């Protein structure tokens, strides 16, 4: 297991307008933006509060993507025993401090608390930012179960031959999944010249995925497997790998591997890049209840989509940061065996197996990340864990 550490904040892949056609099944359709000139992928990190609040719930109006129909059989989320008044008050205080738009708390698959703010409501969708990374990871597991990916120890070039001759030569699928490729990368959300701010604006080479085009510009800084650096591009590569292996767009594959078995009640929107592929590292949009359904699906093992025990591995620390924190296969890991999906500006699905607990939160943080916001989030989780003890 990887022990050395290089910590980088966050979670994001920016979105771009895709124009390439794609094959469409009856449950998917290409979505073109209503206001394509009103948003630029380079500007998402620097939108003001009002713009974020409006656009986070309508990203499909500004960016191209793929719409996926809700499940034919919706998973019901019955009401459970409400949290106590004192706990609800504390939770509401954290939500205000975090500028959260909504929270849903499930225990034993039942709703113990649900609240909405910032004009958001149960029927709306909110963007996920890097919560999408954990969706892509789950589709990786599905591709392994389907036999489309033989082994996580395979070289990524087996599934993405266009990476041959780049810094990703000799890197395994598992090393990309754990972000330990050794390839240099800058994920500074405050720097408009960082890799994360630029990679989805590069003009793709004709016939080539945009993420591969950008990967060609990168260099290696350490041997594969020895250093962890958070890189949104690598989830893009992981998504491309799954698309190549399965022959389906991520959104299409997600329809029958996540949306249907998890019983999503609403339609899903997943952004596409300039070369027409779904952005593996960002920008699924769902209702709050469907983020919670995703968490419940994962908590219960993700069957029948992924191998038995997949989340025991994917949701455990393949890279250790210290203090019980770490990183798995595109899942963040926390003390006590807990793990979750995280996106900048405050999007979360947190899974607490010992309590059979799922917490889904969507937010409009005043900044992409921040120590005070992280502290409030952790206090929120602890409050809910304490309140749901047997």
């Amino acid at each position: 297991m990887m022990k050395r550490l290089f910590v980088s904040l966050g979670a994001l892949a920016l979105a771009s307008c895709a124009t390439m056609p794609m094959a469409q099944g009856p449950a998917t359709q290409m979505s073109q933006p209503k206001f394509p000139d009103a948003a630029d992928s380079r500007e998402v990190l620097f939108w003001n509060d009002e713009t974020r609040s409006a656009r986070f719930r309508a990203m499909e109006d500004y960016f191209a993507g793929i719409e996926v129909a809700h499940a034919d059989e919706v998973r019901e989320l019955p009401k459970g025993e409400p949290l106590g008044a004192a706990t609800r008050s504390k939770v509401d205080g954290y939500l205000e401090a975090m500028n959260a738009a909504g929270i849903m708390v499930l225990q034993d698959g039942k709703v113990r608390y649900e609240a909405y703010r910032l004009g958001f409501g149960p029927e709306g969708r909110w963007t996920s930012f890097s919560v999408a990374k954990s969706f892509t990871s789950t589709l990786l597991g599905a591709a392994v179960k389907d036999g489309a990916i033989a082994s996580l120890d395979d070289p990524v070039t087996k599934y993405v031959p266009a990476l041959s001759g780049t810094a990703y030569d000799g890197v395994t699928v598992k090393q990309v999944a754990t972000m330990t490729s050794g390839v240099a990368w800058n994920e500074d959300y405050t720097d408009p010249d960082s890799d994360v701010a630029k990679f989805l604006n590069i003009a793709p080479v004709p016939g080539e995925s945009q993420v591969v085009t950008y990967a060609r510009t990168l260099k290696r800084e350490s041997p594969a497997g020895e250093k962890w650096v958070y890189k949104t591009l690598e989830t893009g590569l992981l998504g491309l790998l799954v698309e190549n292996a399965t022959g389906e767009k991520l959104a299409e594959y997600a329809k029958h591997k996540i949306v249907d078995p998890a019983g999503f009640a609403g339609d899903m929107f997943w952004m596409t890049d300039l070369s027409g592929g779904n952005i593996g590292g960002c920008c699924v949009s769902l209702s709050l209840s469907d983020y919670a359904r995703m968490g419940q699906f994962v908590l219960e093992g993700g069957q029948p989509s992924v191998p038995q025990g997949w989340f025991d591995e994917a949701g455990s620390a393949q890279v250790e940061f210290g203090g019980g924190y770490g990183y798995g296969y595109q899942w963040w890991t926390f003390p006590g065996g807990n793990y979750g999906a995280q996106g900048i500006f405050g999007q979360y699905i947190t899974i607490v197996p010992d309590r059979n607990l799922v917490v889904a939160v969507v937010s409009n943080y005043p900044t992409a990340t921040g120590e005070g916001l992280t502290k409030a989030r952790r206090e929120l989780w602890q409050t809910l864990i304490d309140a749901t003890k047997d």
Side-chain angles (χ1 to χ4, degrees), residues 318-387:
Q318 304 297 320
V319 182
E320 296 180 355
F321 300 162
Y325 295 93
Y327 199 69
Y329 300 157
Q330 310 280 306
W331 292 88
W332 299 87
T333 65
F334 312 123
N338 308 326
Y339 60 102
Q342 298 185 182
I344 59 168
F345 295 106
Q347 327 316 322
Y348 303 100
I349 302 172
T350 305
I351 298 166
V352 184
D354 283 353
R355 297 279 183 273
N356 207 21
L357 182 70
V358 172
V359 182
V361 177
V362 294
S363 313
N364 176 21
Y365 276 8
T367 57
T369 59
E371 290 184 8
L373 297 164
T374 298
K375 181 174 183 291
R377 182 181 77 242
R378 291 175 178 175
E379 289 174 347
L380 167 65
W381 293 343
Q382 193 59 54
T383 293
L384 291 170
I385 290 170
D386 291 343

Side-chain angles (χ1 to χ4, degrees), residues 275-295:
S275 48
N278 283 117
I279 301 171
C282 184
C283 305
V284 168
S285 290
L286 292 170
S287 69
L288 178 62
S289 67
D290 284 339
Y291 286 120
R293 286 182 176 90
M294 174 62 172

